[in-house]
Amino acid sequence: MRKWAKEHGLLVANLGLFLAFFVGMVLSGAASYSEDQQAHGEPAVSVLQFLGTGAFVEATFENWESEFLQMGMYVVLTVFLFQKGSSESKPMGRKAPQDQDPREARISSATPWPIRRGGMALKVYEHSLSILFFVLFLASFLLHAAGGVDEYNQDQQSHGQPVITFLQYLGTSRFWFESFQNWQSEFLAVGVLVGASVYLREKGSPESKPVAEPHYETGA
């Protein structure tokens, strides 16, 4: 068990932090939502009831969509673009291991199945990481809109205004404001990491160059 925990510690720690913060978001969100309901003369909701509201769905997936978009774009951009001196960039002026053609790899029992199979399976597998992130982004984007239109229509009805459809909600400034305010922050954070890793270090982290490495050295 100790060996397994050491081998998977980074994933386990991140999933644990996600669950802790997600529970915190749900509990505080339910309390905030109930306070808002009571301020408008409506009954408070339980935590389980809150999970079925458009407010919860909208808040959750508008954040998830920006994370998946940022990671998907970052994976794709680092294929083609470089940043001299950054640990987040592939090395410049020489081939990186990531650029090797898998069709020329020596096949063994440990070789991933799509490479042994070849054809379309290999073609998809070559881009499977970015495909995963963009599929998750699209799903989150649509769920954000689904939760948003539900919450928007509740507000409309409480003010005696007509409701709108899902497609109409996609054209509202509210939906795009929610999306852009999250997207811009994600790419700001990535930009800071890419630029800061040229000059700053974190000993022991694979996201940093070795502490004594010159600033101009590119790649981990």
Side-chain angles (χ1 to χ4, degrees), residues 22-102:
F22 187 73
V23 169
M25 184 194 81
V26 170
L27 295 178
S28 58
S32 176
Y33 186 83
S34 289
E35 290 171 2
D36 189 59
Q37 287 285 96
Q38 291 173 322
H40 290 85
E42 301 290 337
V45 299
S46 67
V47 172
L48 287 179
Q49 288 174 323
F50 175 65
L51 295 178
T53 63
F56 168 75
V57 174
E58 178 184 44
T60 299
F61 289 104
E62 75 174 74
N63 281 281
W64 288 17
E65 84 180 29
S66 63
E67 300 293 342
F68 294 135
L69 175 64
Q70 174 240 110
M71 292 305 298
M73 288 298 299
Y74 188 55
V75 167
V76 172
L77 290 175
T78 52
V79 174
F80 307 102
L81 303 179
F82 300 87
Q83 177 58 53
K84 184 177 180 180
S86 177
S87 64
E88 296 297 307
S89 170
K90 290 190 297 185
M92 304 179 71
R94 66 181 189 272
K95 284 285 187 180
Q98 297 90 340
D99 294 323
Q100 294 174 358
D101 189 342

Side-chain angles (χ1 to χ4, degrees), residues 20-185:
F21 293 137
F22 187 73
V23 169
M25 184 194 81
V26 170
L27 295 178
S28 58
S32 176
Y33 186 83
S34 289
E35 290 171 2
D36 189 59
Q37 287 285 96
Q38 291 173 322
H40 290 85
E42 301 290 337
V45 299
S46 67
V47 172
L48 287 179
Q49 288 174 323
F50 175 65
L51 295 178
T53 63
F56 168 75
V57 174
E58 178 184 44
T60 299
F61 289 104
E62 75 174 74
N63 281 281
W64 288 17
E65 84 180 29
S66 63
E67 300 293 342
F68 294 135
L69 175 64
Q70 174 240 110
M71 292 305 298
M73 288 298 299
Y74 188 55
V75 167
V76 172
L77 290 175
T78 52
V79 174
F80 307 102
L81 303 179
F82 300 87
Q83 177 58 53
K84 184 177 180 180
S86 177
S87 64
E88 296 297 307
S89 170
K90 290 190 297 185
M92 304 179 71
R94 66 181 189 272
K95 284 285 187 180
Q98 297 90 340
D99 294 323
Q100 294 174 358
D101 189 342
R103 294 159 187 81
E104 300 173 357
R106 183 167 15 181
I107 303 299
S108 71
S109 59
T111 302
W113 171 83
I115 297 174
R116 288 184 274 120
R117 179 64 182 266
M120 184 55 68
L122 174 54
K123 193 67 177 175
V124 172
Y125 188 67
E126 287 182 304
H127 305 287
S128 55
L129 186 58
S130 59
I131 289 172
L132 170 65
F133 280 119
F134 287 125
V135 167
L136 291 172
F137 162 71
L138 180 59
S140 299
F141 182 85
L142 295 175
L143 286 167
H144 166 204
V149 70
D150 183 63
E151 182 69 8
Y152 182 88
N153 283 335
Q154 284 191 28
D155 290 341
Q156 290 288 94
Q157 290 174 323
S158 66
H159 292 89
Q161 300 294 318
V163 299
I164 63 175
T165 66
F166 177 86
L167 290 178
Q168 287 174 322
Y169 182 68
L170 289 177
T172 63
S173 58
R174 167 173 160 167
F175 173 73
W176 289 104
F177 174 67
E178 291 169 349
S179 294
F180 287 137
Q181 70 176 333
N182 284 284
W183 296 359
Q184 56 85 23
S185 64

